[in-house]
Amino acid sequence: MAVAALAAFPMVAQADAPNVTPGEWEFVSVTSVSGDMQIPDQTETERQCITQEELEGADFGFIEEEEGCELLNQDMNADGLSYSMVCRAEGGEATIDGEMRFMGEQIDGTVDILTQSPMGELTMNTSIEGERIGDCE
C-alpha cells in the first residue's frame, strides 16, 4: 500500500506551469523505513522524459491517486507542490505527506508515509532528487 503511493510518480493538474526545464531527467530516491520491522534503506534511480507539452498540460504533477487512496489537499504553483493523502486497504491505513521543489533544472522533495497495520506501525521517509541530464532522445 505504501509502496504504491511512493511509486506514484506520474502527474496531476495545476494552474501555473512548473519551473521545470523540459528534457531527460534522472530521479534518485532514497527510502528509509523505521518501525517494528527493520528494512534496509532502498535507493532507486529512474529516468523520465518531460516535454514542454506535458508541463503546459492539465495532467502534469507528481501525484497519482491509486485505488483506495484519497487526496486530502494539494497546493501546486510554479515553484513546487505539497500534498497530503490517505490510503486504506484491508486492515491498514497509510497517511502520505509530500513536498516537491521545482528549481528549473533540479527538483527535490520528500515523501513521508506513516502506515498503521495489524503488523504494527511503519514510517517510510523518502528523499527525491531530480536533475535534468539532457534533451529527450
Side-chain angles (χ1 to χ4, degrees), residues 83-105:
Y83 67 94
S84 295
M85 63 191 312
V86 63
C87 297
R88 295 177 183 89
E90 289 182 34
E93 179 175 295
T95 304
I96 299 113
D97 293 302
E99 186 172 311
M100 303 294 288
R101 292 188 311 147
F102 306 141
M103 302 168 290
E105 296 199 359

Side-chain angles (χ1 to χ4, degrees), residues 14 25 29 43 54 63 67 70 85 94 112 116 121 135:
Q14 94 286 349
W25 282 75
S29 61
T43 301
E54 288 173 320
I63 308 167
E67 187 175 332
E70 174 186 0
M85 63 191 312
D112 299 319
Q116 304 279 349
E121 186 174 283
D135 294 333

Side-chain angles (χ1 to χ4, degrees), residues 62-119:
F62 283 91
I63 308 167
E64 182 178 280
E65 283 188 69
E66 299 288 331
E67 187 175 332
C69 296
E70 174 186 0
L71 185 62
L72 301 176
N73 65 58
Q74 170 185 317
D75 180 24
M76 186 165 194
N77 58 46
D79 296 322
L81 161 72
S82 62
Y83 67 94
S84 295
M85 63 191 312
V86 63
C87 297
R88 295 177 183 89
E90 289 182 34
E93 179 175 295
T95 304
I96 299 113
D97 293 302
E99 186 172 311
M100 303 294 288
R101 292 188 311 147
F102 306 141
M103 302 168 290
E105 296 199 359
Q106 293 185 317
I107 295 173
D108 69 25
T110 58
V111 178
D112 299 319
I113 301 174
L114 174 61
T115 303
Q116 304 279 349
S117 75
M119 296 186 314

Side-chain angles (χ1 to χ4, degrees), residues 13-18 20 22 50-61:
Q14 94 286 349
D16 298 333
V20 174
I50 299 175
T51 66
Q52 185 65 39
E53 291 78 20
E54 288 173 320
L55 292 170
E56 294 170 355
D59 61 351
F60 186 83

